[in-house]
Amino acid sequence: MPYQRDILNISDFDKADFDYILSVARSIAENPSRYGEVAKGKLLATLFFEPSTRTRLSFESAMLRMGGQVLGFSEAGVSSTAKGESPEDTARTVSGYCDIMVVRHPTALVPHRMAKVSDVPIINAGDGSNEHPTQTLTDLVTIYRRFGRLDHLTIGLCGGGKHGRTVHSLIKALSQYPGNHFILIAPEALKMPEDVLELLEERGVGYTVTDDLESSIGQVDILYMTRIQRERFQNPTEYRRLKGVYVLDAEKMKSAKEDMIVLHPLPRVDEINSEVDSDPRAWYFLQTQCGVLARMALIIKQLQLNDQLGDGFLSVHTCDTPAATHSA
Ligand code: CP
C-alpha cells in the first residue's frame, strides 16, 4: 500500500486503503485502550474556514482519544484570513506548529493549494461543493458495520446531488466495488454533476436517475439523505423553491425494506422528520460515532503511527471477517 501523504480527494485512496481504515476502525472499537497513547506527542491542527460540528469535533476527539493534542480555529474571522492572508501563507505558517492539518474551506480546491506548500500532511475536511473524503470514510465504516460488506448494495442518494460533496466522494468510493447500484434521487435543478455520472459509466456501474423518493425507497439497502444546502445557492428564491422537496417521514419508511438503513452526513434541516429517529433503521447518529473511529484510523495511517503498535497489529482483523460482532 503506497503512502499518500495528503488526503484531498477520495480517489487518493484505493480498496486496500479502505480495508486498512475499516480494519483499524474495527480494532479501535474492540480494544480502545490499546490506542490511548498512540498519538502521544503529536499535534493536530484544525483550520476551519467554514462552519462544522461533526468533522472538526470528531477529528479533535479522535486525536485526544489517542493521547495527542489539538489546536486551530473554527472560523476564518478569528484568523489572519480576516486581514487578507492567503490560504497558502496560513498553511506555510501552521505547518510549523503541528504534525498534521485538517482543512475545511468554502471554495473548492483550496486544501489542495495549501497542500502544495505545507510541510505536514493535509486532510481535506470538505472543500466547497467538491469533495468530503473523510465523511466517506465515516460512511464506509458505518456501512461495513451494518452489512459486513461494501459490495452488492443498492444505494439511494436523495437530495442535493449537484452541491453534495459528501455524495460525490461516496459514489467515487462505492463504485469501486462490484454489484453496487445507485439510485440518484434529485430534482432536475440539483441533479448529479456530469463528471460523476461519467465516472459511473466508465466503471460500468449501474445507476438510475429519478426525482421520486416514494417510488424508490422500497428498492434501497441504504437511503443516504442529504440537505439542500442554502449556502451553495446564488439565488435565494431558487433555494426557497427547492428546500423541503424531500421529507423522509414515518409514512414513507413503511415502504422501505426491514433491513435497510438511513444515513445522513448531517446537519439536517427538515429532510428527515424527527419521528424517524426512533426507527431502528435510522443510523445517522450512530454514523457520527463511526466518524471518530474512521478519523482515528486515518490519523494513525497518515502519521504512520502503526509502527508503535508492535508486531501482530491488525493480524487478526481483516474485512473479510463476518460482521456479526458489528451489530448495533
Ligand atoms: N457531516 C459534516 O460534514 O458535518 P459538519 O458540517 O457538522 O462537520
Side-chain angles (χ1 to χ4, degrees), residues 48 51-56 104 125 132 135 165-166 265-267:
F48 276 60
S52 166
T53 297
R54 277 144 293 274
T55 311
R56 186 173 66 82
R104 169 171 291 187
H132 193 344
Q135 179 63 46
R165 59 194 180 194
T166 60
L266 303 179

Side-chain angles (χ1 to χ4, degrees), residues 24-204:
V24 178
R26 177 177 179 161
S27 176
I28 295 166
E30 290 174 355
N31 192 359
S33 61
R34 185 175 187 188
Y35 297 85
E37 297 205 335
V38 70
K40 196 172 176 183
K42 300 291 183 188
L43 277 164
L44 176 139
T46 51
L47 278 55
F48 276 60
F49 299 87
E50 188 184 67
S52 166
T53 297
R54 277 144 293 274
T55 311
R56 186 173 66 82
L57 294 180
S58 65
F59 262 113
E60 294 189 1
S61 174
M63 194 61 172
L64 293 169
R65 281 169 191 264
M66 295 192 293
Q69 292 178 289
V70 298
L71 68 160
F73 54 82
S74 58
E75 55 172 306
V78 297
S79 76
S80 285
T81 305
K83 303 177 205 159
E85 184 169 67
S86 70
E88 284 86 349
D89 283 359
T90 305
R92 278 191 192 96
T93 303
V94 179
S95 73
Y97 301 160
C98 66
D99 300 292
I100 187 164
M101 226 185 295
V102 180
V103 177
R104 169 171 291 187
H105 203 281
T107 305
L109 305 178
V110 169
H112 305 62
R113 283 167 43 197
M114 293 170 75
K116 288 198 173 110
V117 298
S118 171
D119 293 328
V120 302
I122 290 208
I123 297 174
N124 178 4
D127 62 318
S129 298
N130 185 36
E131 283 219 35
H132 193 344
T134 72
Q135 179 63 46
T136 293
L137 299 180
T138 298
D139 301 340
L140 297 186
V141 168
T142 313
I143 293 167
Y144 189 79
R145 180 168 177 167
R146 171 62 187 83
F147 294 100
R149 66 179 197 277
L150 299 177
D151 54 76
H152 297 93
L153 295 165
T154 298
I155 306 113
L157 301 164
C158 179
K162 179 179 176 185
H163 301 128
R165 59 194 180 194
T166 60
V167 294
H168 302 162
S169 295
L170 185 60
I171 288 176
K172 289 172 190 175
L174 284 178
S175 60
Q176 295 185 41
Y177 293 85
N180 286 337
H181 183 89
F182 295 92
I183 304 180
L184 309 176
I185 308 159
E188 175 64 23
L190 293 178
K191 67 179 189 187
M192 200 62 70
E194 279 305 316
D195 64 310
V196 178
L197 300 181
E198 281 164 17
L199 180 80
L200 290 174
E201 279 157 28
E202 273 167 32
R203 292 182 172 172

